[in-house]
Amino acid sequence: MAKERRRAVLELLQRPGNTRCADCGAPDPDWASYTLGVFICLSCSGIHRNIPQVSKVKSVRLDAWEEAQVEFMASHGNDAARDKYESKVPPFYYRPTFSDCQLLREQWIRAKYERQEFTHPDKQEPYSAGYREGFLWKRGRDNGQFLSRKFVLTEREGSLKYFNRNDAKEPKAIMKIEHLNATFQPAKIGHPHGLQVTYLKDNSTRNIFVYHEDGKEIVDWFNALRAARFHYLQVAFPGASDADLVPKLSRNYLKEGYMEKTGPKQTEGFRKRWFTMDDRRLMYFKDPLDAFARGEVFIGSRESGYTVLDGLPPSTQGHHWPHGITIVTPERRFLLACETEMEQRAWVEAFRKVVDRPMLPQEYAVEAHFKHKP
């Protein structure tokens, strides 16, 4: 009987909707919440274990199943749970995948099942009200210390501001929603709730690094920023559908890591720098947590004269890492070197994805800014 029950549960995994984790979309889930009626992956099952008042989990393959539990799973399943627990997810709300950080996946699961934010829209006020203020720990630009700073997000003014003192009349910085991006960077920042916010200042990228001790708070901030971007873009592109706008709300970097670079004359020595590929901007920093990039390179499309080559020109001078990359732009060549062949392959793949993509009309304007930079 026990074997038959387990076989019955395994057969339920073949039903449409059950072939991927109900929470992060990972393929071939082999765990289940037998109180919610969903099939989930090992990673998400660990999060479910932390909310035992809502969810109780079992291994589909290893644990014993009772007849009532099998019947419950058969009458529910991932599609039914999605209809129930995700019926009112706002279009701007970030739905994490299996490649996202633990925090995003945990808060998504808690929001769905524990707080039931997507069945009761009144619970969405913290990120959908169009205004949010509160304190975040922000990394100091010069000394690297995290200090508590007041942040104010206002859709009406189209900005995120922060203040160095509670009683300060004027903000230390005003970040326009139009040019804002936010991405979770727990490893880089050294905190599981670490968020990197970037914005443009005089057409150069500026980074700030923040976190909040409470996971819900920082994810609410992240979704409030996405909501503000969504509403800004709805006005800027009145004919666009939600599906067109949602990918533009926030973006993760295509690739980050250390490479070595040489200067424009290609006679200076190679220097180790931290590189970030953000859409078509390749930025390099002395340190991963620097506020400003040392330099930025625009990478356009093949049609506009940009190419990426394996290796370095034979005439390259100076000591450098063994695995070279040459980026050819209409103006000059950029010589880069990676420590390992695996890193070089990953960077070349990231660059080629960008070069193979045709440029959008607004990207020509960005390219023009780069050409006129001193």
Side-chain angles (χ1 to χ4, degrees):
M1 283 294 287
K3 273 187 181 174
E4 283 172 21
R5 287 196 291 268
R6 191 175 299 141
R7 192 178 304 123
V9 178
L10 281 166
E11 282 172 9
L12 294 176
L13 281 174
Q14 305 312 311
R15 283 190 185 174
N18 294 347
T19 58
R20 289 185 171 272
C21 173
D23 297 324
C24 74
D28 306 319
D30 50 10
W31 286 76
S33 166
Y34 61 88
T35 52
L36 294 170
V38 292
F39 292 96
I40 51 179
C41 68
L42 173 64
S43 183
C44 288
S45 75
I47 298 168
H48 279 252
R49 279 182 200 280
N50 292 331
I51 45 171
Q53 68 281 17
V54 174
S55 182
K56 292 192 166 36
V57 298
K58 277 189 174 192
S59 166
V60 170
R61 297 171 197 283
L62 304 175
D63 289 327
W65 285 80
E66 294 167 20
E67 191 63 42
Q69 293 168 347
V70 177
E71 286 171 9
F72 184 81
M73 295 304 297
S75 63
H76 290 75
N78 292 4
D79 285 346
R82 201 167 289 120
D83 291 343
K84 178 179 178 181
Y85 293 105
E86 298 180 26
S87 62
K88 295 183 172 70
V89 181
F92 58 77
Y93 194 97
Y94 188 78
R95 294 168 176 261
T97 69
F98 53 90
S99 58
D100 280 304
C101 65
Q102 169 86 1
L103 172 71
L104 277 170
R105 289 182 294 112
E106 180 189 351
Q107 290 305 318
W108 166 241
I109 288 167
R110 286 184 179 275
K112 274 204 290 186
Y113 307 120
E114 184 183 39
R115 300 192 291 267
Q116 298 200 3
E117 289 175 19
F118 312 126
T119 48
H120 301 94
D122 54 308
K123 295 184 178 182
Q124 298 170 12
E125 199 263 346
Y127 44 82
S128 59
Y131 180 88
R132 184 176 173 89
E133 67 172 76
F135 288 86
L136 296 172
W137 292 97
K138 178 191 167 292
R139 188 179 190 274
R141 196 173 102 190
D142 301 320
N143 60 11
Q145 277 186 306
F146 280 88
L147 298 166
S148 180
R149 293 288 180 253
K150 182 183 174 184
F151 281 77
V152 176
L153 170 67
T154 161
E155 284 188 16
R156 194 167 47 81
E157 294 174 20
S159 67
L160 172 69
K161 307 173 195 173
Y162 78 86
F163 299 80
N164 265 0
R165 292 193 324 278
N166 293 356
D167 58 351
K169 295 278 187 288
E170 294 300 316
K172 180 77 171 94
I174 300 175
M175 299 161 249
K176 297 308 258 178
I177 295 297
E178 180 185 358
H179 300 301
L180 199 79
N181 185 42
T183 176
F184 280 97
Q185 294 273 25
K188 188 156 108 177
I189 294 169
H191 192 284
H193 304 165
L195 185 71
Q196 179 173 349
V197 178
T198 60
Y199 62 102
L200 288 183
K201 189 175 179 182
D202 307 323
N203 203 47
S204 288
T205 305
R206 167 89 160 88
N207 296 321
I208 62 168
F209 301 95
V210 296
Y211 71 85
H212 195 287
E213 295 293 356
D214 185 305
K216 179 186 184 300
E217 278 288 309
I218 196 71
V219 173
D220 283 351
W221 270 105
F222 176 64
N223 281 305
L225 292 172
R226 284 175 58 88
R229 293 258 314 143
F230 182 63
H231 298 137
Y232 161 76
L233 290 168
Q234 280 182 315
V235 174
F237 303 99
S241 68
D242 289 358
D244 291 331
L245 299 181
V246 166
K248 298 180 170 67
L249 302 187
S250 63
R251 59 193 183 274
N252 295 328
Y253 300 133
L254 301 177
K255 173 122 182 80
E256 286 196 289
Y258 282 107
M259 288 191 284
E260 291 181 332
K261 70 170 286 294
T262 185
K265 295 193 179 67
Q266 296 166 10
T267 52
E268 309 97 299
F270 276 76
R271 291 204 172 100
K272 182 179 168 183
R273 294 287 181 257
W274 177 266
F275 282 81
T276 297
M277 187 76 223
D278 182 13
D279 202 23
R280 289 196 184 273
R281 288 173 185 258
L282 177 65
M283 298 169 278
Y284 53 92
F285 306 83
K286 197 167 181 184
D287 182 272
L289 296 175
D290 281 349
F292 293 101
R294 286 296 178 96
E296 302 190 33
V297 180
F298 181 85
I299 300 184
S301 65
R302 202 177 301 285
E303 297 84 19
S304 301
Y306 294 82
T307 47
V308 181
L309 307 171
D310 282 331
L312 299 170
S315 58
T316 307
Q317 300 172 9
H319 182 76
H320 56 78
W321 280 343
H323 305 280
I325 302 172
T326 302
I327 297 177
V328 182
T329 77
E331 275 70 48
R332 57 168 278 206
R333 287 169 179 251
F334 292 88
L335 308 187
L336 309 170
C338 301
E339 195 169 14
T340 67
E341 189 182 351
M342 198 166 86
E343 268 293 280
Q344 182 220 35
R345 276 205 212 111
W347 275 110
V348 167
E349 187 186 340
F351 292 145
R352 286 196 174 140
K353 269 186 192 157
V354 175
V355 166
D356 290 344
R357 201 173 75 219
M359 273 165 63
L360 300 169
Q362 59 267 35
E363 290 175 331
Y364 286 101
V366 177
E367 182 188 40
H369 273 295
F370 274 82
K371 286 179 177 173
H372 296 131
K373 273 189 179 183

